[in-house]
Amino acid sequence: MAKDGTNRGGARPGAGRPRKALTEKISEGKKAEVMLQPAELTAADIPPVREFMTAMQRDGTTLCAKEVFTETYSWLKDRNCEKLVSRQLIEQYAMSISRWIHCEEVVSRTGYIAKHPTTNAPIASPYVAMSQAYLKQANVCWNQIFTIVRENCSVEFQDNPQDDMMEKLLRSRK
């Protein structure tokens, strides 16, 4: 406690040893609790993709956000975790990945170097920085999704849809 009576500093939430996955706790014979047990509802296989995820881009291309959303939602559904992850988080992840792929496609077409608008001097392409920002945002979203699945999935899983993102990028180039 500080001199002024406020409780600053100290242990931070989430600091320390990483939490064990639910499957690890079960295999060790420990008591394992699921974060949240959703009500058993039967719903459509995959919710409809919202319109903004399939909108035509200014350069005439379409984003692959619908594909990423569908693939991620299916991956969650296979592990019975689709009710634990909010739809908005899945949409954020899908849009971040598709924007990253779009930026990488533009970098491939235009190159890493651009002209300065007033001096015409060579500068780094702004699409490179945008690509890095979208990739960072996608990784943050994916880590949130994966943490929820790891802590609540009672079945071992090996496949990870994020591993296929580079393959998607390469397939999108024609």
Side-chain angles (χ1 to χ4, degrees), residues 15-127:
R17 284 182 247 148
R19 299 171 96 181
K20 288 189 176 181
L22 182 61
T23 54
E24 291 178 28
K25 291 178 184 178
I26 292 172
S27 67
E28 292 174 358
K30 293 184 179 177
K31 181 180 176 187
E33 294 181 22
V34 176
M35 266 180 19
L36 170 71
Q37 195 59 268
E40 288 298 320
L41 300 173
T42 55
D45 280 347
I46 297 173
V49 177
R50 296 199 182 156
E51 193 175 318
F52 72 92
M53 297 177 80
T54 58
M56 182 70 70
Q57 300 303 297
R58 209 165 167 192
D59 64 353
T61 61
T62 55
L63 293 177
C64 62
K66 179 179 180 179
E67 181 182 331
V68 174
F69 177 83
T70 305
E71 197 171 297
T72 306
Y73 194 87
S74 298
W75 185 81
L76 289 168
K77 192 168 179 71
D78 291 345
R79 282 141 193 85
N80 293 325
C81 293
E82 77 277 6
K83 297 173 193 140
L84 301 173
V85 180
S86 72
R87 178 179 175 157
Q88 288 79 15
L89 183 57
I90 301 170
E91 287 173 348
Q92 286 175 3
Y93 172 69
M95 286 301 291
S96 298
I97 284 292
S98 59
R99 295 269 188 218
W100 169 68
I101 290 172
H102 188 251
C103 285
E104 288 297 323
E105 289 171 348
V106 172
V107 168
S108 295
R109 279 195 312 266
T110 60
Y112 297 101
I113 299 174
K115 285 184 186 178
H116 190 275
T118 55
T119 64
N120 286 334
I123 59 170
S125 173
Y127 290 103

